[in-house]
Amino acid sequence: MKFNLRKFGLVLGPVLFFLILFMPTPDGMSDAAKGVFAISVWMIVWWITEAIPIYATALLPMGLIPILGILPLKEIAAEYMHPIIVLLLGMFMIALAIEKSGLHKKIAFELISVFGYSPKKIVWGFMITTALISTVVMSTTVVLILLPITGVILAALSKTNYVTTKFKVIFMLSIAYSSSIGSVATLIGAPPNLLYAATVMEMFAHKVTFAEWSMLGVPLSVSMLVLCGLYMTTQIGKSNFETTSEIKRTLLLEKSKIGKITMEQKTVLAVLLGVMVLMFTMPLWQPENSFITNSVIAILGGISLFVLPKTRSESLMNWAGIERLPYGLLFLLGGGFALSLAFVDSGLANWIAHALAFVGDYPFELVILVLVAMIMFLTNVKSNTATAAIFIPIVGTMAMLNNWTPLPVLFAITVATSFAFLLPMGTPPNALIYEKAQIPIKAMVKHGMVLNMMAIGLITTFTILVSSKILI
């Protein structure tokens, strides 16, 4: 009889939940904290085994936390419409408008043409293009948008007899990795970034601005992209002049089919740029004691798509288009926020942090290295959002207990969750490329291990030398 991991996980999750509830409560841990731990174990088991859709698992806190008397539903449900989810909702609307208008293809082909047409330059071009778009559009969406374009490129390359399994693997993995790398450049690039902002506000009453995040996120993202690109392109064989010429002719033909930029694309681009400019410059114009936030700007930008005209009788976006929003991802993020709130409110984060207090005896540099490595490898076996939701409040409490400056440490582990390159379940782009492009696990592990080692060294060095001097 074939072993069914999903059915096993379906039973194991609730069984462990009840076992933990009925076990003696450890010294110093409250009953509420034990309840949150039991819920977390149940959710982790279901997330790892995919016993039910991961988005449905993220709804468990709304039912279980009130039942155990930890927090009322009103407080838990509010986390599923957290201001950061509103921010994401607005940006998703803009992303859908970009896709609907065809602007993404225009941007991709224009950017790729800048880098040249040899196979190595195409990989570089796609990596940079993917990373750039991932700074303002969720990395999952970017990969979904670019997958059809990669099909065009691979089809063109097949005519030159250049496409090998090895090239396809490198090409597709480069897109997955660069989308995750690009997502750390801005606050809205990845769910863990938003979890960081929410937790920092909740625990330390510090408002993370768009500019503050990007001041550190951009140089770290660029550095990792360069390392990743150099490594991945060394895995590609050399090409001759004829190969490059054939690729160029084919891509130019595909580009000519797109035509000139339309008024619809110009308007969508104006909305995107307007929202980004307002977010970046908000500290310069925001009135004192104002309730205006990045979330307000993003949702108004999304709503404007229903007002601005595409034609005389049609607006840029209609409700049918919005129905394609990835609500599951919003539920996943809401579940992360709810779990994070319960970790802090129940005292579980404080209890775990005290249990790990011994790490304060070790040098700060070693602590950063161990935390980054641990978080990065844990993320490879469950979603980066779940890892961030669980560990950001724990490490935040550890920072307070050990008198570390908390923001640099939290920034480091947040970025580490997005640099999980080893397995498909680590990040949504990894999972998409694995599923859609049929990339062998062996190849992902081989290249992902090298890049994970690079990322651990880079994040640790960056935290010690840069972010610890800026985030104080």
Side-chain angles (χ1 to χ4, degrees), residues 152-174:
V152 173
I153 304 300
L154 290 173
L157 290 173
S158 66
K159 298 174 184 177
T160 64
N161 297 316
Y162 188 81
V163 168
T164 61
T165 301
K166 183 177 181 180
F167 176 81
K168 179 186 175 184
V169 166
I170 295 298
F171 183 47
M172 300 307 292
L173 285 179
S174 296

Side-chain angles (χ1 to χ4, degrees), residues 30 135-136 140 172 181 204 213 215 226 268 287 293 312-313 361 426 429 450:
S30 66
T135 62
V136 293
T140 311
M172 300 307 292
I181 292 168
F204 306 105
W213 176 279
M215 180 170 55
V226 169
V268 171
T293 63
R312 289 185 177 181
S313 59
D361 298 332
V450 175

Side-chain angles (χ1 to χ4, degrees), residues 3-307:
F3 177 70
N4 190 313
L5 181 63
R6 289 187 175 184
K7 288 184 179 178
F8 176 72
L10 191 64
V11 175
L12 181 63
V15 167
L16 291 176
F17 170 79
F18 285 109
L19 281 176
I20 293 168
L21 285 183
F22 290 111
M23 284 174 61
T25 305
D27 291 339
M29 178 185 281
S30 66
D31 288 338
K34 186 171 75 169
V36 174
F37 179 65
I39 294 169
S40 301
V41 170
W42 185 346
M43 292 177 71
I44 289 170
V45 169
W46 276 11
W47 270 329
I48 292 173
T49 62
E50 296 184 76
I52 65 174
I54 59 173
Y55 309 120
T57 299
L59 299 175
L60 277 176
M62 279 204 287
L64 296 179
I65 290 176
I67 284 175
L68 296 182
I70 299 165
L71 285 168
L73 177 61
K74 182 178 179 180
E75 292 185 31
I76 293 301
E79 297 301 305
Y80 289 82
M81 195 46 75
H82 191 283
I84 289 175
I85 291 182
V86 175
L87 167 68
L88 205 54
L89 185 62
M91 295 309 296
F92 270 137
M93 289 181 182
I94 296 172
L96 287 173
I98 290 171
E99 184 181 356
K100 181 171 177 281
S101 70
L103 179 62
H104 61 293
K105 293 183 179 180
K106 190 79 178 172
I107 294 170
F109 277 113
E110 290 294 341
L111 286 172
I112 289 168
S113 66
V114 171
F115 299 98
Y117 296 91
S118 72
K120 285 189 177 183
K121 289 179 179 178
I122 286 174
V123 171
W124 268 114
F126 260 89
M127 287 186 69
I128 294 172
T129 299
T130 304
L132 280 173
I133 301 175
S134 295
T135 62
V136 293
V137 179
M138 291 294 288
S139 55
T140 311
T141 306
V142 175
V143 173
L144 283 170
I145 288 170
L146 289 179
L147 274 172
I149 301 176
T150 61
V152 173
I153 304 300
L154 290 173
L157 290 173
S158 66
K159 298 174 184 177
T160 64
N161 297 316
Y162 188 81
V163 168
T164 61
T165 301
K166 183 177 181 180
F167 176 81
K168 179 186 175 184
V169 166
I170 295 298
F171 183 47
M172 300 307 292
L173 285 179
S174 296
I175 291 170
Y177 296 158
S178 57
S179 67
S180 296
I181 292 168
S183 71
V184 307
T186 62
L187 188 59
I188 59 172
N193 307 359
L194 304 172
L195 281 165
Y196 164 87
T199 307
V200 164
M201 172 60 80
E202 186 176 314
M203 295 184 71
F204 306 105
H206 175 79
K207 183 178 179 181
V208 181
T209 65
F210 208 88
E212 177 188 296
W213 176 279
S214 294
M215 180 170 55
L216 296 171
V218 169
L220 187 58
S221 177
V222 170
S223 301
M224 189 63 217
L225 186 67
V226 169
L227 290 174
C228 180
L230 290 173
Y231 169 74
M232 297 301 275
T233 52
T234 59
Q235 306 301 304
I236 300 173
K238 294 182 178 179
S239 59
N240 54 40
F241 176 77
E242 288 76 15
T243 299
T244 302
S245 298
E246 177 61 27
I247 294 170
K248 182 176 181 179
R249 282 194 299 271
T250 305
L251 293 184
L252 288 176
L253 178 62
E254 292 297 326
K255 181 181 175 182
S256 67
K257 294 177 183 178
I258 296 176
K260 296 182 178 180
I261 190 167
T262 64
M263 182 55 68
E264 178 188 6
Q265 292 169 346
K266 288 180 181 177
T267 308
V268 171
L269 182 60
V271 171
L272 174 62
L273 292 177
V275 167
M276 298 303 296
V277 168
L278 287 173
M279 286 181 176
F280 270 109
T281 61
M282 190 167 62
L284 303 177
W285 56 263
Q286 185 183 32
E288 192 174 349
N289 299 322
S290 169
F291 295 120
I292 300 172
T293 63
N294 287 338
S295 302
V296 173
I297 295 168
I299 199 66
L300 287 177
I303 293 169
S304 72
L305 299 168
F306 293 92
V307 178

Side-chain angles (χ1 to χ4, degrees), residues 421-449:
F421 304 125
L422 203 60
L423 293 170
M425 60 283 287
T427 64
N430 289 7
L432 277 171
I433 291 297
Y434 168 73
E435 180 185 349
K436 302 292 185 183
Q438 298 181 329
I439 300 299
I441 288 278
K442 183 179 178 181
M444 188 174 280
V445 170
K446 173 187 172 184
H447 301 296
M449 181 63 74

Side-chain angles (χ1 to χ4, degrees), residues 251-451:
L251 293 184
L252 288 176
L253 178 62
E254 292 297 326
K255 181 181 175 182
S256 67
K257 294 177 183 178
I258 296 176
K260 296 182 178 180
I261 190 167
T262 64
M263 182 55 68
E264 178 188 6
Q265 292 169 346
K266 288 180 181 177
T267 308
V268 171
L269 182 60
V271 171
L272 174 62
L273 292 177
V275 167
M276 298 303 296
V277 168
L278 287 173
M279 286 181 176
F280 270 109
T281 61
M282 190 167 62
L284 303 177
W285 56 263
Q286 185 183 32
E288 192 174 349
N289 299 322
S290 169
F291 295 120
I292 300 172
T293 63
N294 287 338
S295 302
V296 173
I297 295 168
I299 199 66
L300 287 177
I303 293 169
S304 72
L305 299 168
F306 293 92
V307 178
L308 296 170
K310 174 183 175 182
T311 63
R312 289 185 177 181
S313 59
E314 187 181 359
S315 60
L316 290 173
M317 183 60 71
N318 53 38
W319 193 251
I322 293 301
E323 287 177 350
R324 294 178 52 240
L325 277 168
Y327 294 106
L329 190 57
L330 299 180
F331 288 154
L332 183 63
L333 191 56
F337 286 143
L339 203 57
S340 178
L341 174 66
F343 256 72
V344 175
D345 192 83
S346 69
L348 180 58
N350 190 54
W351 185 87
I352 295 175
H354 275 89
L356 297 173
F358 66 90
V359 302
D361 298 332
Y362 295 94
F364 178 72
E365 294 80 5
L366 179 61
V367 171
I368 293 295
L369 176 64
V370 171
L371 283 175
V372 168
M374 179 184 74
I375 295 297
M376 193 175 295
F377 283 104
L378 280 173
T379 304
N380 279 298
V381 297
K382 56 190 176 73
S383 81
N384 58 345
T385 302
T387 304
I390 291 168
F391 283 96
I392 289 175
I394 290 175
V395 175
T397 307
M398 287 174 63
M400 289 190 289
L401 290 174
N402 292 289
N403 294 316
W404 303 330
T405 304
L407 299 189
V409 183
L410 295 180
F411 179 83
I413 66 166
T414 302
V415 173
T417 64
S418 289
F419 286 178
F421 304 125
L422 203 60
L423 293 170
M425 60 283 287
T427 64
N430 289 7
L432 277 171
I433 291 297
Y434 168 73
E435 180 185 349
K436 302 292 185 183
Q438 298 181 329
I439 300 299
I441 288 278
K442 183 179 178 181
M444 188 174 280
V445 170
K446 173 187 172 184
H447 301 296
M449 181 63 74
V450 175
L451 292 172

